């Protein structure tokens, strides 16, 4: 594990802050939402759904919760925040505690349909009208010709070897594990600093490059940069960090020459699937929208629908496209990205991060996203799309 011992003077000056921060760190290690929201029986329910000709609602099962939610809530709100003299720090930790408490409520209600959905809204929000318009704008472009690099022919073992080679550009440890209980083909587990690969997945050459830039080039970079910060909240995550972190990750795909129109359309389908939740759509309704109305093949349509409906209605996926739009606009203004890579941080807290940097409580992370150094994208249609998102 990469960590940094804070300056003794800082430890003394902000003793109460470090005490609260350390206690929160011990508590939130137990509550990584993605460890709980991915169904255990996805393949079985997918087979049944297809066999029913898309008419039978899947019945997903989820991992058992390994913590006492009531006890955690109580502990969150016993922290003596009034002992923090600095107004900015006190408000930041107030926001953080409410954010983590909302996350616990999300986990507690997984599988309870609308109860989980409403808790999900508090953490991730719902697509705006602009988000929906941007998604439909992207989907009106004609599909690209299918290239050899898009053919899925690589095994999880091939993927592991590819990611190990890619990660050699960085000097952080790469812990790769195989999993059968994740919705994505690959994802980073922040709590275990691991890259998880779906055991039964097949990968294309382009997909491997995309995942490498997304998961290693950003998510693992911010995981290890967060661990190097004096305050643990930068490792565990500031409120509303998902939109910024996923925006950076997809932007890394763009800069690294991996982003395709197909990928942008995938993010657009996710927005529409998330939007369908606000209309009260069932799993079968959303699948019908994506598969029958928008003509996406049934396997990909099932994955998009699953990602939106898991837990009872999970709106996290709507943030990838809006996050990309915000980071791309920042790139056009030639604003630096380093501060956003300092940990699991959010654009919404950039002023606070700048202030904490002045106090010495935030340091420049030891790692940067290598794809940000040189733009390799040559796709003119993507340029046009990104420049015209609202």
């Amino acid at each position: 594990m990469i960590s940094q011992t804070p300056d003794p003077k800082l430890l003394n000056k902000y003793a109460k802050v470090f005490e609260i921060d350390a206690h929160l760190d011990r508590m939130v290690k137990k509550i990584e939402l993605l460890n709980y929201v991915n169904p255990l029986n996805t393949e079985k329910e997918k087979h049944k759904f297809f066999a029913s000709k898309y008419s039978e609602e899947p019945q997903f099962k989820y991992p058992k919760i390994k913590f006492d939610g009531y006890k955690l809530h109580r502990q969150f709100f016993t922290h003596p925040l009034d002992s923090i003299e600095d107004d900015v720090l006190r408000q930041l930790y107030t926001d953080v505690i409410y954010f983590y408490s909302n996350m616990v409520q999300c986990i507690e209600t997984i599988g309870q349909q609308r109860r989980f959905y409403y808790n999900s809204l508090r953490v991730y929000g719902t697509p705006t009208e602009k988000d929906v318009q941007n998604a439909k704008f992207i989907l009106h472009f004609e599909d690209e010709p299918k290239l050899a690099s898009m053919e899925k022919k690589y095994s999880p073992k091939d993927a592991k070897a590819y990611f190990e080679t890619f990660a050699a550009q960085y000097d952080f440890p790469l812990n790769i594990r195989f999993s059968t209980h994740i919705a994505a083909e690959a994802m980073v587990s922040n709590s275990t600093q691991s890259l998880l690969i779906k055991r039964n997945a097949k990968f294309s050459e382009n997909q491997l490059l995309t995942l490498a830039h997304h998961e290693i080039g950003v998510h693992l970079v911010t995981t290890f940069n967060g661990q190097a910060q004096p305050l643990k909240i930068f490792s565990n995550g500031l409120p509303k960090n998902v939109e910024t972190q996923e925006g950076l990750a997809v932007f890394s795909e763009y800069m690294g020459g991996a982003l395709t129109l197909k990928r942008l359309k995938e993010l657009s389908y996710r927005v529409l699937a998330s939007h369908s939740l606000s209309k009260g759509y069932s799993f079968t309704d959303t699948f019908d929208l994506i598969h029958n109305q928008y003509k996406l093949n049934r396997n990909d349509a099932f994955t998009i629908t699953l990602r939106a409906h898991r837990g009872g209605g999970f709106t996290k996926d709507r943030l990838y496209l809006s996050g990309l739009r915000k980071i791309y606009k920042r790139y056009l203004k030639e604003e630096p990205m380093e501060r956003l890579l300092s940990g699991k941080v959010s654009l919404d807290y950039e002023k606070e991060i700048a202030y904490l940097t002045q106090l010495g409580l935030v340091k420049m992370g030891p790692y940067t996203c290598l794809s940000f150094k040189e733009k390799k994208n040559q796709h003119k249609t993507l340029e046009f799309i990104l420049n015209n998102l609202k």
Side-chain angles (χ1 to χ4, degrees):
M1 179 183 290
I2 298 170
S3 61
Q4 180 171 310
T5 303
D7 186 309
K9 291 181 180 178
L10 284 176
L11 280 172
N12 183 56
K13 186 175 182 180
Y14 300 102
K16 284 294 181 183
V17 174
F18 280 104
E19 182 182 324
I20 291 169
D21 183 77
H23 190 246
L24 281 172
D25 179 56
R26 290 192 293 273
M27 292 174 64
V28 302
K29 292 298 186 199
K30 307 169 186 175
I31 59 171
E32 189 165 9
L33 179 55
L34 292 180
N35 288 342
Y36 293 101
V37 77
N38 291 319
L40 298 172
N41 59 336
T42 298
E43 291 304 317
K44 179 182 177 182
E45 290 304 306
K46 178 181 178 180
H47 178 76
K48 285 170 62 178
F49 182 70
F50 287 169
S52 74
K53 297 183 179 178
Y54 324 137
S55 63
E56 185 179 320
E57 289 285 314
Q59 301 299 314
F60 295 117
K61 296 178 181 178
Y62 299 93
K64 290 183 179 179
I65 298 175
K66 298 179 181 178
F67 58 82
D68 184 327
Y70 176 79
K71 185 178 179 181
L72 273 183
H73 282 298
R74 188 175 61 187
Q75 289 178 336
F76 278 134
F77 293 104
T78 57
H79 288 97
L81 297 185
D82 54 358
S83 66
I84 300 177
E85 296 179 3
D86 187 289
D87 291 343
V88 174
L89 281 167
R90 185 170 58 253
Q91 186 58 55
L92 176 61
Y93 276 88
T94 300
D95 294 350
V96 164
I97 284 173
Y98 276 109
F99 173 67
Y100 292 153
S101 179
N102 286 341
M103 196 67 72
V104 171
Q105 285 184 284
C106 269
I107 296 171
E108 287 180 304
T109 53
I110 286 173
Q112 296 179 32
Q113 302 311 312
R114 300 306 276 184
R115 283 191 68 195
F116 174 78
Y117 169 63
Y118 291 127
N119 284 323
S120 170
L121 287 181
R122 293 167 67 185
V123 178
Y124 302 109
T126 193
T128 65
E129 189 56 40
K130 278 188 179 179
D131 293 336
V132 175
Q133 289 174 9
N134 284 334
K136 290 180 177 178
F137 167 67
I138 292 168
L139 291 173
H140 94 273
F141 285 87
E142 289 188 17
D143 290 341
E144 303 159 305
K146 194 166 184 180
L147 303 174
S149 62
M150 306 296 282
E151 182 186 347
K152 293 192 174 187
K153 59 183 180 181
Y154 296 101
S155 69
K157 276 192 173 182
D158 296 330
K160 180 176 184 289
Y162 184 95
F163 295 147
E164 286 171 341
T165 300
F166 185 91
Q169 302 171 86
Y170 301 90
D171 62 351
F172 50 62
L174 182 64
N175 178 28
I176 294 180
R177 294 191 290 129
F178 296 104
S179 174
T180 54
H181 303 313
I182 56 175
E185 279 79 6
M187 60 171 278
V188 165
S189 169
N190 188 47
S191 61
T192 61
Q193 303 94 49
S194 302
L195 176 60
L196 306 180
I197 298 176
K198 196 169 188 175
R199 192 179 296 276
N200 59 349
K202 283 285 187 181
F203 302 85
S204 69
E205 182 182 345
N206 173 264
Q207 192 176 19
L208 291 175
L209 181 63
T210 298
L211 288 167
H213 282 303
H214 188 107
E215 303 294 343
I216 298 171
V218 170
H219 288 328
L220 278 180
V221 162
T222 56
T223 289
F224 289 117
N225 279 348
Q227 285 186 357
Q229 296 299 336
L231 297 173
K232 300 300 183 183
I233 55 170
F234 283 82
S235 175
N236 294 316
L238 298 185
K240 301 181 181 179
N241 72 80
V242 170
E243 183 177 44
T244 301
Q245 296 301 305
E246 297 300 352
L248 288 166
V250 180
F251 180 70
S252 176
E253 300 171 25
Y254 165 78
M255 291 293 285
L259 189 64
T260 61
L261 180 56
K262 182 178 185 293
R263 170 68 164 158
L264 269 188
K265 286 190 172 187
E266 176 190 326
L267 303 185
S268 301
Y269 289 127
R270 292 182 183 182
V271 171
L272 297 185
S274 295
H275 183 55
S276 76
L277 296 169
S278 67
K279 298 179 179 180
Y281 280 19
S282 66
F283 188 101
T284 54
D285 292 333
T286 301
F287 180 85
D288 179 71
L289 171 72
I290 304 299
H291 177 56
N292 291 324
Q293 294 185 45
Y294 279 96
K295 307 304 180 185
L296 185 64
N297 72 77
R298 72 174 192 170
N299 284 308
D300 290 343
F302 182 90
T303 298
I304 296 287
T305 306
L306 165 66
R307 289 177 65 102
H309 281 267
R310 54 187 161 162
F314 192 40
T315 57
K316 171 180 177 281
D317 273 3
R318 69 109 185 167
L319 295 168
Y320 288 68
L321 189 59
S322 61
L324 172 62
R325 181 183 62 82
K326 290 181 179 180
I327 296 300
Y328 185 75
K329 299 294 184 189
R330 184 186 182 91
Y331 165 72
L332 293 180
K333 295 176 185 174
E334 298 184 352
E335 295 178 7
M337 302 287 183
E338 286 76 17
R339 191 173 286 159
L340 302 180
L341 294 169
S342 60
K344 304 299 181 181
V345 307
S346 166
L347 277 166
D348 290 13
Y349 287 87
E350 194 165 8
K351 287 182 180 177
E352 288 84 350
I353 297 167
Y355 176 70
L356 266 61
T357 302
Q358 291 179 347
L359 299 182
L361 293 172
V362 177
K363 308 288 186 183
M364 185 68 72
Y367 305 107
T368 189
C369 178
L370 298 180
S371 70
F372 288 178
K373 294 182 178 180
E374 179 189 358
K375 188 181 83 167
K376 294 184 179 178
N377 175 70
Q378 302 295 327
H379 200 309
K380 298 303 179 186
T381 302
L382 293 185
E383 298 277 356
F384 177 80
I385 290 172
L386 293 178
N387 282 310
N388 285 279
L389 293 179
K390 297 178 180 179

